[in-house]
Amino acid sequence: GTISLVICAPFCDLGRTNYPEQFMAQRIGSLRDIVEHYDVILCDVWGVLHNGISGFPEASLALKAAREAGLTVVLITNSPRPNKGVSIQLDGLGVLREAYDRIVTSGDVTRKLIAEGPKKTFFIGADRDTPLLEGLGTELVGEDEAEIIICAGLFDDENETPDMYRDMLLRFVARGVPMICANPDLVVERGHKLIPCAGAVAALFEELGGAVRIAGKPYAPIYVAALEEARNHRGDFARERVLAIGDGMPTDVKGAISQGLELLYISAGIHARDYMTGDTTDETALDRFLENHQAAPRWWVPRLQ
């Protein structure tokens, strides 16, 4: 079996494609300051609504208020879990069900890639992520038999680093076995720690010469699916009335830019160490950080509120 949907390399520079360059990032006080400009919100989850250990109550309340003002909120996450599993996880973290209308995950759109690919699968990830494979006819096999790698994360992301997988990945590269990456994130916050994700393993695999296929952020399939869910909920809307919210530069920010969407950048997320000391933002350093990444969000705020 071949895979018909091939997405470009995980970390190519998406630049400012289709993004209105005249916009300079403007700090806002809260989401309610700008909701009048939008009909639809595509909101990141990890780093915006929770940190992997506990939810951010003000973020949930901000999205709930946006929905009450008439906006449709679709959560768009690089979680490798299908959306039902993410909804249950959010319940456990205290994220309000009233904060969103729909959820679209990288796992949801990656299942299409898996379904179209070879069945003899070597799975890299924690047991909690195996629902990604349910009902797709995959056969979990050892390294030597595998015709495809599905990477949803690290086996033990608390204690391992991607480089520990180098020798194994080199053996797969030598055999020409491709990888499907179900979570393009490089790192996520877990409490006050940064934890490596599947995207970091995929980046190493590509560096070693492997072929990687991705459908999650920043690539188009997840945005197509999220916008379709929004249309199913509210009917048609203008693309310029869509606001993306996120904290991850290689995923949320680059994805919004490549899709021509206005962006609210959450600055106290995974990149906070680049321009924040404690709770204080060095705005000059933030501007330099955004410029260095060729990113021009319309708005920014430390945490969604």
Side-chain angles (χ1 to χ4, degrees):
T2 59
I3 298 175
S4 62
L5 177 58
V6 178
I7 310 301
C8 69
F11 310 107
C12 55
D13 181 9
L14 298 174
R16 296 174 183 246
T17 309
N18 298 324
Y19 197 79
E21 288 194 41
Q22 71 269 29
F23 291 145
M24 297 299 292
Q26 177 181 337
R27 180 167 182 165
I28 61 170
S30 70
L31 183 60
R32 63 176 174 271
D33 296 339
I34 60 174
V35 291
E36 64 181 332
H37 301 296
Y38 304 104
D39 295 322
V40 172
I41 292 173
L42 304 184
C43 187
D44 181 39
V45 174
W46 202 313
V48 177
L49 293 180
H50 68 79
N51 65 2
I53 293 176
S54 58
F56 302 144
E58 289 188 348
S60 279
L61 292 172
L63 293 181
K64 179 176 181 286
R67 291 184 64 236
E68 290 168 350
L71 281 72
T72 295
V73 175
V74 179
L75 302 186
I76 178 170
T77 170
N78 271 345
S79 171
R81 304 180 192 185
N83 62 76
K84 288 182 181 178
V86 170
S87 183
I88 293 168
Q89 179 190 30
L90 294 180
D91 290 344
L93 292 168
V95 175
L96 300 176
R97 285 276 177 125
E98 296 84 0
Y100 57 91
D101 296 291
R102 305 286 175 91
I103 302 175
V104 174
T105 76
S106 179
D108 292 333
V109 292
T110 301
R111 282 173 59 82
K112 176 177 171 59
L113 292 180
I114 296 170
E116 294 173 347
K119 299 308 175 192
K120 291 189 175 182
T121 300
F122 186 83
F123 184 76
I124 302 176
D127 290 343
R128 65 178 178 268
D129 294 324
T130 54
L132 172 70
L133 307 177
E134 287 179 2
L136 297 180
T138 56
E139 179 189 354
L140 294 180
V141 298
E143 176 188 332
D144 293 341
E145 294 180 72
E147 297 174 353
I148 190 79
I149 311 158
I150 310 297
C151 183
L154 286 74
F155 293 119
D156 179 1
D157 58 17
E158 288 281 347
N159 298 297
E160 293 180 335
T161 66
D163 203 60
M164 294 177 180
Y165 293 69
R166 180 180 293 268
D167 290 345
M168 179 180 69
L169 296 179
L170 279 169
R171 293 192 294 271
F172 280 123
V173 170
R175 290 205 296 116
V177 178
M179 174 185 289
I180 295 175
C181 175
N183 177 357
D185 286 351
L186 294 171
V187 295
V188 292
E189 293 178 286
R190 184 173 292 156
H192 298 294
K193 294 173 62 177
L194 291 180
I195 301 294
C197 297
V201 178
L204 176 59
F205 187 64
E206 187 192 41
E207 178 187 314
L208 297 173
V212 180
R213 298 164 171 96
I214 301 179
K217 294 180 291 184
Y219 302 108
I222 195 168
Y223 289 95
V224 171
L227 292 170
E228 184 62 25
E229 287 294 329
R231 288 189 187 92
N232 290 342
H233 182 262
R234 71 175 296 124
D236 207 13
F237 49 85
R239 201 175 187 89
E240 59 267 22
R241 299 277 299 176
V242 178
L243 176 68
I245 301 175
D247 70 317
M249 184 60 61
T251 51
D252 307 312
V253 177
K254 296 297 188 184
I257 291 170
S258 70
Q259 294 299 308
L261 304 177
E262 293 191 1
L263 172 71
L264 170 58
Y265 177 61
I266 305 302
S267 63
I270 60 173
H271 303 298
R273 292 163 179 79
D274 288 290
Y275 43 72
M276 292 185 74
T277 303
D279 293 331
T280 303
T281 301
D282 180 337
E283 296 195 23
T284 300
L286 173 60
D287 288 343
R288 184 165 56 247
F289 173 81
L290 294 172
E291 182 179 356
N292 287 344
H293 285 276
Q294 295 185 298
R298 177 76 188 273
W299 322 98
W300 71 275
V301 71
R303 289 289 185 193
L304 183 62
Q305 57 185 16

